[in-house]
Amino acid sequence: RRAPEAAAAALRAHSSVPGFGHFLYPGGDPRAELVLTALWRRRGTARLRRRVEELSEAVVAHSGLRPNIDLASAAVMRSLNLPAAAGEVVFQVARSYGITAHVLEEYPETPLRWRGRQATG
C-alpha cells in the first residue's frame, strides 16, 4: 500500500497514525528529527528515507501530525534489519535513559517537579 493510502486508512480507523504526533511536541518531535538526521547520514538508507519522507508528507497533509520518536525508532530498526519484536526492547532501553535524565534534572530542584500530562504545579 502506498503511503497516502496507508495514512488515510489509519486516520479513518484510528484518528491517528502510529509514529506521528506527540502531546508535548505538537510542532514536531525534536528527538525524531535528531535521530532521523543521523540515520540519513548512513550509507544505504536512501530508499528508506524516501519511504519515510513520503509517509511523513502524506500524514502531515492529511492530519498535520508530524513524525515522533516512535517513527524514528522504527526507521532505525528497519535500517538495522532488526525484527519487529525488538521494538519493545528498544523502547524500554530508550525509556530508561529518558527516565534517568529526568531524575538527574530534578535532583537539584526543591521541591521536585512533575512533568506529566496532569501537571498541577
Side-chain angles (χ1 to χ4, degrees):
R1 189 184 267 188
R2 295 193 38 84
E5 292 83 16
L11 286 166
R12 278 192 305 274
H14 310 290
S15 299
S16 66
V17 179
F20 290 86
H22 192 285
F23 75 99
L24 284 179
Y25 309 113
D29 188 338
R31 304 166 302 171
E33 186 177 327
L34 181 74
V35 169
L36 290 172
T37 297
L39 178 60
W40 304 147
R41 289 187 190 122
R42 288 180 43 109
R43 276 189 282 165
T45 60
R47 182 172 180 226
L48 177 61
R49 181 179 186 169
R50 283 191 302 274
R51 293 183 75 194
V52 167
E53 288 177 351
E54 179 186 19
L55 177 62
S56 296
E57 289 168 10
V59 173
V60 169
H62 282 83
S63 69
L65 297 173
R66 302 197 177 282
N68 65 32
I69 192 62
D70 295 333
L71 178 73
S73 296
V76 169
M77 289 178 44
R78 178 76 173 128
S79 75
L80 297 174
N81 294 314
L82 294 174
E88 183 66 25
V89 174
V90 170
F91 172 80
Q92 293 298 337
V93 170
R95 191 65 191 122
S96 68
Y97 285 110
I99 290 169
T100 301
H102 286 302
V103 168
L104 292 174
E105 286 175 348
E106 289 192 16
Y107 270 136
E109 295 183 20
T110 305
L112 294 180
R113 63 184 167 87
W114 169 249
R115 224 184 110 182
R117 290 180 193 234
Q118 304 294 324
T120 58

